[in-house]
Amino acid sequence: MEIVVTQIIQVAAIALATLGTGAATMSVMNEDIPDMQVPEGAWTSSGALDGRAFTVYGTDVGSGAVLEDDLVFRDGTFQSVDCQNYCDFGWSDYQTKDIDGVIHFTATTICPDAPHTVVFYGQVSGDTIALEGTWTTRRWYWTNQIVIEASGTATDFDAATEITG
């Protein structure tokens, strides 16, 4: 018994000396990746895109994966059908501003059940849309961010809202 206690004390002393000198350091926190920053400006909740829907095709910039999504605007809210199907993101408020006849929009969507945040920033001109965004997943041990670029055209609003509910 005396030998075991002595060995435990020796191990504890070595551990304290190692930690005390900084020879062994460990961090359980990861470096955060900020969400995409949307340009500043006179953003308003005007509902300027209400009643519109768009089918977009794009890529995950990092991997090159092809993306297809439907984006729907109604009652001052926005929904990505892909986000809804993936994590029940629901409807999120969106804001717009008009610059030379082009409607710029932004929306930030948050998954209620997982640490996912998606930031959208796009421009609508007539029946065409172009957008960029980030899908960021934050966990205590890592943060992952997917950068998205996409463009598309207007689609039937009633058909798109049947998908989103």
Side-chain angles (χ1 to χ4, degrees):
M1 178 72 171
E2 198 172 305
I3 295 174
V4 172
V5 171
T6 303
Q7 288 175 338
I8 291 173
I9 291 172
Q10 287 174 343
V11 169
I14 291 169
L16 284 173
T18 302
L19 291 173
T21 62
T25 59
M26 180 177 81
S27 173
V28 294
M29 299 302 294
N30 67 327
E31 188 173 324
D32 189 35
I33 302 170
D35 292 321
M36 180 179 73
Q37 294 298 306
V38 173
E40 294 184 18
W43 295 102
T44 63
S45 299
S46 67
L49 294 171
D50 285 0
R52 309 271 326 255
F54 300 87
T55 298
V56 297
Y57 300 92
T59 57
D60 167 339
V61 174
S63 72
V66 176
L67 308 171
E68 179 180 351
D69 196 1
D70 287 310
L71 308 177
V72 181
F73 298 86
R74 76 169 189 205
D75 301 325
T77 61
F78 164 89
Q79 187 174 85
S80 155
V81 173
D82 277 358
C83 289
Q84 179 62 18
N85 291 339
Y86 182 80
C87 193
D88 195 22
F89 278 75
W91 292 91
S92 302
D93 292 339
Y94 76 93
Q95 295 182 314
T96 61
K97 62 182 176 179
D98 187 301
I99 300 175
D100 298 326
V102 176
I103 299 172
H104 294 244
F105 74 92
T106 185
T108 298
T109 61
I110 298 172
C111 175
D113 300 320
H116 307 300
T117 301
V118 183
V119 177
F120 294 89
Y121 171 64
Q123 302 82 35
V124 174
S125 180
D127 285 341
T128 62
I129 186 172
L131 66 95
E132 56 188 290
T134 56
W135 177 304
T136 308
T137 302
R138 291 179 174 87
R139 301 200 186 275
W140 69 269
Y141 49 92
W142 62 260
T143 298
N144 184 56
Q145 187 173 78
I146 298 169
V147 177
I148 302 162
E149 292 179 349
S151 61
T153 56
T155 190
D156 182 66
F157 178 80
D158 293 328
T161 56
E162 286 179 17
I163 296 170
T164 61

